[in-house]
Amino acid sequence: MASSPCSSSNSGGSNFDCGLEIKTRSVEQTLIPLVSQITTLINHKDKLKKTEKTLRAIQKVGQAVSVAVGRFVAVGEAIALENEELKEEMGHACFEARRAGMAIAQLTDVCGAEQSESDGRGTVFSDRTGMVKAARMLLSSVTKVLVLADRIVIKQIISSRNKVLVTLEQLEQVSTFQEFVQIFSQFGNEMVEFAHLTGDRQNDLKDENKKARMAAARAVLEKCTMMLLTASKTCLRHPDCESARINKDAVFQRMRLALDQVIEIVTDARTSGEAKTLPISIYAGIKDFKGKVEGLRDSLYCVPCEAVAAQLEALVEQTEDFTDSAYTSHEQREGILQLCHITRQGTQQLLSTWSEAQSLKAKEVTEEVELAILKTCQSVSELRRELHKVAVGRASELLKLHSDHLVLQALKAAGSEGNLEAVAEYGRTLTEQREQLVETCRLLCHISGTEPLEITCIHAEETFHVIGPQIISAAQTLALHPNSKIAKENLDVFCEAWESQLCDMAVLLKEINDVFEGRRGDKRTYLSLPRAVHSTNLKTVKAAKLDAEEQTTIAKLGLELRLLTSDVDSELERWEEQDHDVAPQCQSMSSVAYSMYLFTRGEGLLKTTLDLFHQAEVLSEQGLQFCSFLQSLSTQLGDEEKMLLLSETEKLAACCQQLQVCAKTPVQGKSATFQKVDSSIQNTKGIVAVLVSLLPLCNKLIKKCKSQRSSQGSPQHWRERQLGTPVKEDALNGKGSNGFGVKTLEQHMANMTFLETK
């Protein structure tokens, strides 16, 4: 993850490269305040008026950076002491960060700027190159510290996985119930710890494909934990039963594969051969094909005809997954083949027209070429619509057909009666259903529309493929031992897993439709095993309610929070730009805070302390996203106004981080839990208080910017030029170029290198 120490400067002006890649949102969010502060210091106007207010603001930001770096480095040094293998690298990065922080503090000590410069001491005004060098060193060293610290998280996950594997091996070898119960109890605790670590990692990952893969692997582990329990118990009760052994072995194998997949994701390495890539879906193929066709407008002489034609043929070949299926109706097959023929004809006409334009040495795309491009794109889009209709239609029919679970019920009944012939018959019926579902998942993968959804389709396909035979082997075991309660329980567990996967498929179908129709759909939050606490005994956190005395104590604090949310509502009523993104984001945060106030009164939807702590995490995430939005907004402002906005933004970020830490810190005992409730409400008050200050400031700044730009274009023109209106969801989540993600951080570094050479 970090191949070499980061270079602090480069007088040659080459591109910044410290060999680091930021892969988690937590590292990004930690860097956001630092990036905003130092870029503010660097990007001030060369001829900035040195008013007392400006000098104080610059010095305040410089001091804040220095203090924050000092605290940050102290944590990094503590991590180094606890982890010998990182001691040297972490020590060097901390030393560089501390040195850069001190340099920035000296350069921003500008309240006596003229005196300082006359004494020969450089300031941010006189030594721009020194400021850029210090800033580059600080960003690179702090990033290095964060990425090194992230290695510790990966190390914890690997260590947890290794413990699970050792216990899994022991479970597989047990021969008595007493031994099994003892070891499985340990295994359960280890799985809770592993679920907690991997759940946090999944939520922190930036790469959506990795998040989807992690969700799939964790879903397997969650479901297999119960299967492992009943399958192992059945084997212990019936040690000579071959079908019980087959059933158990399949569960253990699947768990090991899922554990390996988690490690592959967190370490970016594969333990079993070369990296696995997603198969090219028809959706991706059509998107790429349309891109090449539309690209002909700009590259009349660059794209060979053969490449476009070959890509279409590959696309048509993929549609055979639809047309060759025994479950595709004759009408559907004919419709797909007809659309393939129309698309092929249109492409041939396009390439013919395009070649003619080349022979005439046309400098621009002719009207005939433009028309052929439009027709080709339209025909391939119609093909995609037809394929989507076929796949989604079949999935909907299957879900409706299997909603009554008649085959599963028949298998259970046949097994309980000891009827092996009936089990075999219904097993064949289930196998046919499995083949239909597996093929349908494959078709859904072709038209899903996003790679994370493709990954989910592949997971669904694999799950149906594996669980089908496991249900049959469990039913065979029950048929051989019809009076066995454990064998009956085992079959029930596998049938429930099948039913659960059908429910997941229905959700997946909705998400695919949402993407196709241009709606993103609600993102699902993966609900893992009980979220564990950071303690050695790993007891499950209990959801508690406040008693009468605690309710009375917290009521005053709640009332203060209620008054602050009222202030936010009052400020929002004064807003003229109600459609500006600031207003709805603040309204949303105020609503979350109000629900927490209702908790202090024993009212509302939050019933337990766990509900409150979850809501606190939601509020902190919203607040940090809003901070990211404000960073983008600040780029539209003058230096003094920018300083003012970023100062308030920093306060908000600090409050949100405090609330996040508080909400995620595990506690045990009645007193400690109440103290956490109190701290959560206090931190929420701090966030809402900053919003009360931010709203009138943002209102004023937005109106001022709008007024200044009114002479440059229409209101619509101003809205289009604003970085902050509208801010897309991706940008707020750190995916876009305005989210202060890796790409933006590298851009800042490039700008610093450029400034250094001036």
Side-chain angles (χ1 to χ4, degrees):
M1 194 177 293
S3 56
S4 61
C6 302
S7 59
S8 60
S9 65
N10 189 332
S11 58
S14 62
N15 288 335
F16 170 82
D17 181 14
C18 63
L20 300 174
E21 182 184 357
I22 300 172
K23 298 176 181 177
T24 58
R25 298 195 188 285
S26 56
V27 172
E28 267 191 356
Q29 291 291 344
T30 306
L31 286 172
I32 286 173
L34 183 61
V35 170
S36 66
Q37 286 175 328
I38 63 177
T39 50
T40 298
L41 293 173
I42 290 170
N43 295 333
H44 66 76
K45 296 175 182 176
D46 290 332
K47 296 182 180 180
L48 184 69
K49 292 181 180 179
K50 298 178 185 178
T51 65
E52 186 177 343
K53 183 178 179 181
T54 301
L55 295 176
R56 276 203 310 270
I58 290 175
Q59 186 164 9
K60 185 177 179 182
V61 173
Q63 289 172 345
V65 169
S66 181
V67 170
V69 169
R71 292 173 182 164
F72 180 82
V73 166
V75 174
E77 290 170 340
I79 291 173
L81 289 174
E82 296 173 2
N83 298 273
E84 187 66 30
E85 71 276 15
L86 297 180
K87 191 171 183 179
E88 185 177 348
E89 279 187 285
M90 183 69 86
H92 178 75
C94 288
F95 173 78
E96 293 287 289
R98 195 186 295 278
R99 188 171 64 152
M102 292 172 62
I104 287 175
Q106 291 174 357
L107 288 165
T108 54
D109 185 12
V110 292
C111 279
E114 293 181 4
Q115 179 65 39
S116 299
E117 291 172 13
S118 65
D119 293 343
R121 182 170 66 82
T123 68
V124 68
F125 296 107
S126 62
D127 189 5
R128 185 73 171 272
T129 300
M131 187 67 201
V132 170
K133 285 184 177 181
R136 292 181 72 248
M137 180 190 295
L138 181 60
L139 276 180
S140 60
S141 56
V142 166
T143 304
K144 181 72 176 289
V145 171
L146 288 168
V147 173
L148 287 172
D150 192 58
R151 283 191 195 172
I152 306 301
V153 177
I154 295 172
K155 179 183 172 185
Q156 289 174 337
I157 293 174
I158 293 172
S159 175
S160 179
R161 189 283 305 256
N162 291 341
K163 286 194 294 183
V164 169
L165 275 179
V166 170
T167 312
L168 198 64
E169 186 74 26
Q170 294 173 348
L171 276 175
E172 199 168 15
Q173 304 301 323
V174 296
S175 56
T176 67
F177 268 103
Q178 185 178 1
E179 187 183 7
F180 175 79
V181 170
Q182 182 181 356
I183 296 175
F184 190 83
S185 176
Q186 176 188 342
F187 176 76
N189 284 338
E190 290 170 353
M191 282 300 294
V192 168
E193 178 189 16
F194 190 68
H196 167 73
L197 292 172
T198 54
D200 285 348
R201 189 66 179 182
Q202 177 187 321
N203 292 330
D204 200 22
L205 286 169
K206 288 169 53 188
D207 188 311
E208 292 298 325
N209 289 0
K210 288 182 181 178
K211 289 180 81 166
R213 288 179 61 210
M214 181 74 90
R218 294 178 73 243
V220 169
L221 291 171
E222 182 175 349
K223 290 175 182 176
C224 279
T225 299
M226 181 55 71
M227 294 178 188
L228 184 144
L229 173 62
T230 57
S232 297
K233 284 166 62 180
T234 305
C235 244
L236 287 170
R237 178 58 59 85
H238 310 290
D240 299 326
C241 183
E242 180 67 11
S243 58
R245 185 193 61 77
I246 291 171
N247 188 255
K248 172 191 162 186
D249 289 348
V251 176
F252 275 88
Q253 181 185 11
R254 197 161 182 235
M255 285 202 78
R256 288 193 175 95
L257 289 173
L259 288 166
D260 286 345
Q261 184 176 344
V262 169
I263 300 306
E264 289 166 11
I265 295 164
V266 299
T267 60
D268 277 330
R270 288 192 62 80
T271 57
S272 54
E274 297 181 358
K276 183 179 180 182
T277 57
L278 286 173
I280 301 298
S281 66
I282 291 178
Y283 169 80
I286 287 176
K287 186 177 179 182
D288 192 31
F289 175 74
K290 285 178 70 175
K292 278 190 170 60
V293 168
E294 291 175 340
L296 293 176
R297 294 188 179 99
D298 305 316
S299 53
L300 198 58
Y301 298 95
C302 300
V303 181
C305 299
E306 296 78 9
V308 178
Q311 187 167 10
L312 175 63
E313 290 309 311
L315 194 60
V316 169
E317 186 177 343
Q318 283 183 296
T319 64
E320 291 175 3
D321 284 349
F322 288 78
T323 56
D324 289 355
S325 170
Y327 306 110
T328 301
S329 70
H330 175 73
E331 292 77 10
Q332 289 173 334
R333 185 177 294 106
E334 288 299 312
I336 293 169
L337 291 172
Q338 178 66 17
L339 286 169
C340 286
H341 178 67
I342 292 171
T343 304
R344 188 183 279 120
Q345 279 188 324
T347 304
Q348 290 171 349
Q349 178 62 35
L350 167 63
L351 296 178
S352 173
T353 309
W354 187 59
S355 298
E356 186 179 337
Q358 279 186 315
S359 66
L360 296 174
K361 298 183 179 181
K363 294 182 179 180
E364 295 181 353
V365 172
T366 63
E367 186 177 337
E368 290 77 10
V369 170
E370 178 64 31
L371 184 60
I373 288 173
L374 293 174
K375 283 185 176 180
T376 303
C377 289
Q378 182 181 359
S379 59
V380 81
S381 294
E382 288 174 359
L383 174 61
R384 182 201 167 195
R385 275 193 291 273
E386 181 64 22
L387 295 173
H388 176 90
K389 179 182 174 183
V390 170
V392 169
R394 182 185 303 174
S396 300
E397 287 174 10
L398 281 178
L399 288 171
K400 186 177 180 181
L401 183 64
H402 302 323
S403 61
D404 51 13
H405 309 300
L406 289 177
V407 177
L408 299 182
Q409 292 171 18
L411 273 170
K412 290 178 185 179
S416 297
E417 294 166 2
N419 190 338
L420 278 170
E421 288 185 7
V423 166
E425 181 184 344
Y426 290 121
R428 285 190 290 272
T429 305
L430 183 67
T431 299
E432 185 179 344
Q433 287 187 2
R434 182 196 67 164
E435 290 172 356
Q436 289 178 338
L437 288 164
V438 164
E439 184 178 282
T440 302
C441 289
R442 201 170 296 140
L443 299 187
L444 288 174
C445 183
H446 270 308
I447 55 91
S448 58
T450 70
E451 287 190 2
L453 287 178
E454 286 178 25
I455 291 167
T456 308
C457 289
I458 292 169
H459 165 66
E461 177 186 339
E462 291 172 349
T463 301
F464 285 124
H465 182 76
V466 171
I467 293 182
Q470 288 179 310
I471 291 174
I472 294 171
S473 63
Q476 289 169 343
T477 303
L478 179 58
L480 291 169
H481 308 279
N483 296 321
S484 172
K485 290 183 179 179
I486 289 179
K488 183 178 184 303
E489 179 189 10
N490 187 48
L491 177 57
D492 287 341
V493 166
F494 281 94
C495 288
E496 286 169 8
W498 179 276
E499 293 167 10
S500 173
Q501 189 56 52
L502 285 173
C503 291
D504 289 346
M505 187 174 174
V507 175
L508 173 61
L509 195 59
K510 179 184 181 302
E511 292 182 342
I512 290 172
N513 268 324
D514 284 344
V515 170
F516 182 77
E517 293 170 10
R519 303 190 303 268
R520 287 189 63 84
D522 295 330
K523 289 188 177 180
R524 288 180 292 168
T525 301
Y526 180 85
L527 300 176
S528 69
L529 300 169
R531 292 187 64 80
V533 297
H534 297 276
S535 60
T536 53
N537 58 5
L538 292 166
K539 291 180 180 177
T540 303
V541 179
K542 291 183 179 178
K545 294 186 178 183
L546 299 183
D547 60 28
E549 184 179 346
E550 291 171 336
Q551 203 87 57
T552 303
T553 306
I554 207 76
K556 181 176 180 295
L557 200 59
L559 182 59
E560 294 169 357
L561 177 59
R562 171 70 182 94
L563 293 172
L564 284 169
T565 59
S566 296
D567 290 340
V568 170
D569 294 337
S570 298
E571 288 296 338
L572 285 169
E573 287 175 4
R574 298 190 183 100
W575 267 65
E576 294 177 9
E577 298 288 327
Q578 287 293 330
D579 59 340
H580 195 284
D581 276 20
V582 168
Q585 288 186 70
C586 288
Q587 182 64 66
S588 177
M589 293 171 68
S590 178
S591 297
V592 173
Y594 184 79
S595 70
M596 296 172 74
Y597 150 73
L598 289 176
F599 174 85
T600 66
R601 293 173 53 88
E603 301 171 1
L605 297 176
L606 308 182
K607 302 300 183 185
T608 67
T609 51
L610 279 184
D611 294 337
L612 179 75
F613 301 151
H614 174 71
Q615 196 78 331
E617 284 190 51
V618 170
L619 179 60
S620 65
E621 287 294 331
Q622 286 185 347
L624 290 172
Q625 288 181 349
F626 186 49
C627 288
S628 178
F629 170 86
L630 293 175
Q631 308 291 340
S632 299
L633 183 62
S634 69
T635 61
Q636 305 297 302
L637 307 175
D639 285 338
E640 290 189 19
E641 295 159 339
K642 184 176 182 179
M643 291 276 195
L644 198 57
L645 180 59
L646 289 178
S647 175
E648 292 298 317
T649 303
E650 285 306 305
K651 293 178 187 176
L652 180 60
C655 290
C656 291
Q657 286 164 355
Q658 286 175 357
L659 180 61
Q660 195 170 58
V661 170
C662 174
K664 291 186 176 181
T665 300
V667 293
Q668 287 187 353
K670 193 170 186 291
S671 176
T673 300
F674 179 74
Q675 184 58 48
K676 182 174 175 179
V677 170
D678 183 271
S679 298
S680 296
I681 301 297
Q682 289 280 14
N683 288 325
T684 301
K685 270 181 57 187
I687 290 174
V688 181
V690 178
L691 288 183
V692 173
S693 302
L694 265 170
L695 274 167
L697 175 62
C698 289
N699 196 15
K700 175 184 174 184
L701 295 177
I702 290 168
K703 284 196 290 187
K704 184 176 179 181
C705 286
K706 187 174 180 180
S707 175
Q708 289 174 346
R709 287 169 170 77
S710 60
S711 60
Q712 300 175 16
S714 65
Q716 180 62 31
H717 178 69
W718 150 242
R719 284 181 60 81
E720 290 172 356
R721 290 183 56 188
Q722 270 196 12
L723 281 179
T725 308
V727 171
K728 294 182 180 177
E729 180 186 357
D730 285 353
L732 291 177
N733 287 335
K735 297 178 190 172
S737 58
N738 298 328
F740 283 91
V742 179
K743 183 177 179 182
T744 310
L745 192 59
E746 291 170 348
Q747 288 169 347
H748 279 296
M749 293 297 185
N751 291 339
M752 291 176 202
T753 305
F754 173 72
L755 287 168
E756 188 180 338
T757 59
K758 288 178 70 175

